[in-house]
Amino acid sequence: MKKVVLITGGSRGIGKATAEVFAKNGYSVAINCFANKDRAEETVRYLRDNGGEAICVPADVASEEQVMNMVHNVRKAFGRIDILVNNAGISQQKLFTDITPEEWRRMFAVHVDGTFHCCRAVLPDMIFRKSGKIINLSSIWGIVGASCEVHYSAAKSAVIGLTKALAKEVGPSGITVNCVAPGVINTDMNATLDDDTLTSLKEETPLCRLGTAKEIAEIICFLASENADFITGQVISPNGGFVI
């Protein structure tokens, strides 16, 4: 039986690349999306056309009710969820003094509440089966912080804390929980940065380039594999040496 992976925020960037890598490795893939349903469905068609099993499950992960419905739909289609990849996220560059309470709450609602809701929805069945893998997406800014991204950095740091604590709690049930904290990756999320900023970021990276979504996807897929069965509660930061 194929293993089943649910990937939140799977319509583009790292999420899309992760869906493609999992499908290539024989997993049944459920792609969550919120604002980009058309792009998610396009990816689903691509995976199916290439022999994969995939569905699109729209939901705002900040909503507990929508997440519960999403997980129900995945189980209805595939029977269970073996791997959860909490990738859904938003970003914003803004001075701390200009961040509104609404923007602060939305940042945490997507990154932290979303991770909480999704983990809470899939864990009872994983605990019952004493098997499962959860991979949460953070960022180097969750490790070291970023100027003009205080709310994003704080939310991503919270994801790291959640990962470590949850790994200790569900480890006895045979479930691993790990975190991937990418550096600067060449995705739509960073496409808003101007050329000078991107050039500067490349120069600050010892490998002298930005990372690719596929490189991050391969690490996520590794953490979901049997080869990573003894890895839990860890933060892996593929960042080209930007943070050492």
Side-chain angles (χ1 to χ4, degrees), residues 100-152:
T100 67
E102 293 75 21
E103 289 169 337
W104 179 272
R105 285 192 291 268
R106 181 60 181 170
M107 190 66 70
F108 272 75
V110 174
H111 292 279
V112 186
D113 295 354
T115 300
F116 167 73
H117 292 151
C118 292
C119 289
R120 191 166 178 267
V122 304
L123 270 172
D125 184 57
M126 288 184 175
I127 292 170
F128 177 77
R129 291 187 288 108
K130 293 190 177 299
S131 175
K133 292 178 181 288
I134 297 174
I135 299 101
N136 299 322
L137 270 290
S138 180
S139 164
I140 53 169
W141 308 132
I143 298 173
V144 300
S147 174
C148 296
E149 293 186 72
V150 173
H151 49 347
Y152 179 81

Side-chain angles (χ1 to χ4, degrees), residues 167-241:
K168 290 183 177 181
E169 186 168 325
V170 300
S173 296
I175 300 161
T176 65
V177 187
N178 289 292
C179 185
V180 178
V184 186
I185 308 301
N186 188 18
T187 64
D188 291 350
M189 189 172 283
N190 289 317
T192 56
L193 300 176
D194 59 62
D195 290 341
D196 289 342
T197 299
L198 288 173
T199 298
S200 177
L201 289 169
K202 290 177 185 178
E203 291 174 348
E204 291 179 55
T205 303
L207 291 182
C208 301
R209 67 175 178 86
L210 304 183
T212 68
K214 186 175 184 299
E215 288 173 321
I216 307 305
E218 292 286 358
I219 293 170
I220 293 170
C221 196
F222 165 73
L223 289 172
S225 73
E226 294 179 356
N227 293 325
D229 281 351
F230 199 55
I231 300 174
T232 195
Q234 303 304 305
V235 181
I236 298 176
S237 184
N239 61 59

